[in-house]
Amino acid sequence: MHEREREELVERLVQWGYLSKRDIIDAFKKVPRHEFIPENIRDYAYADQPLSIGHGQTISAPSMIAIMLESLDLKVGQKVLEVGTGSGYNAALIAEIVGQKGKVFSIERINELADFGRANLDRTGYGWVHVVVGDGTCGYEKEAPWNRILVTACTPKLPEPLLKQLKVKGKLGAPVGQHYMFQTWMVAEKRAKGELKIEERGGCSFVPLVGEYGWKAED
Ligand code: SAM
């Protein structure tokens, strides 16, 4: 039942121009999104809309996730850090694309969501993704540098530690802007000598990135 719904969602995302890269299309077809959604709202798993995962947080709409992943040029074998594990769905897609020759770490500040994401990843065969509890605005120095960093909550500016932990030729994608509005999906690429090439890839709306280099909890 869910397979047909998933196929139809992917067909729509391709038709609407959100998905074009083969490896990302295949990942969307394979990863069972409904397994990452709280049971009481699973019927909406294949609608193109963000959904609540509790603790005031959301899993982004599939079209938004497609925009994020298409902008990052992920490749097999890369080492990737995701900031904001939430349900674990995005991390599973990344894992599917980079494969087990790569490494995927995902960092989440809310304990209960880290547990939720980890359980979903384990159950769906992506238990090799490392879920860490902590403030992702500081990155994850222990495993740096990264080929790719994907931030899934909105930051007032690109966090300095994340830019530092990026490899040369590495790319970081993040929503930058205000709380819930006037946000832009930005992609920064680190050039030789550490210069950054920054591109703006359109408007978006995310929950806030709360931490030392993001929003303060009381903001
Ligand atoms: N990627 C997730 C998924 O696939 O379900 C959705 C992420 S949700 C839009 C944003 C997440 O970022 C929330 O789970 C939130 O708790 C988390 N977050 C916010 N600030 C954070 C921080 N400083 N470090 C780590 N996670 C953070």
Side-chain angles (χ1 to χ4, degrees), residues 33 36 53-55 57-60 65 68 82-91 106-110 113 132 134-138 150 152-154 206-212 214:
R33 184 173 161 90
F36 294 82
I53 52 172
H55 305 276
Q57 307 302 321
T58 54
I59 173 173
S60 302
I65 297 174
M68 298 194 260
E82 180 194 36
V83 176
T85 312
S87 69
Y89 176 65
N90 219 339
S106 185
I107 186 160
E108 170 59 55
R109 68 181 276 270
I110 300 175
L113 283 179
V132 179
D135 176 5
T137 68
C138 301
L150 182 78
T152 67
C154 178
F206 283 80
V207 294
L209 182 75
V210 178
E212 192 178 340

Side-chain angles (χ1 to χ4, degrees), residues 154-165:
C154 178
T155 172
K157 59 183 175 77
L158 296 175
E160 208 51 50
L162 297 184
L163 294 171
K164 274 204 188 116
Q165 291 176 24

Side-chain angles (χ1 to χ4, degrees), residues 13 30 58 64-65 73 77 95 99 103 112 115 119-120 130 135 143 147 155 157 162 167 174 176-177 179 186 213 218:
L13 293 176
K30 188 156 178 206
T58 54
M64 188 63 234
I65 297 174
D73 200 19
K103 265 191 170 183
E112 291 84 346
D115 290 344
N120 295 338
H130 303 266
D135 176 5
E143 288 286 336
N147 297 109
T155 172
K157 59 183 175 77
L162 297 184
K167 280 189 184 176
V176 181
H179 278 209
M186 290 205 183
Y213 295 87
E218 65 277 9

Side-chain angles (χ1 to χ4, degrees), residues 2 6 30-39 41-43 45-46 51 53 59 86-89 92 116-126:
H2 286 300
R6 190 152 67 245
K30 188 156 178 206
V31 178
R33 184 173 161 90
H34 60 279
E35 294 282 356
F36 294 82
I37 308 284
E39 274 183 41
I41 51 168
R42 271 195 186 164
D43 284 353
Y46 295 101
L51 295 169
I53 52 172
I59 173 173
S87 69
Y89 176 65
F116 178 60
R118 198 180 289 115
N120 295 338
L121 286 160
D122 282 347
R123 202 176 55 253
T124 50
Y126 300 98

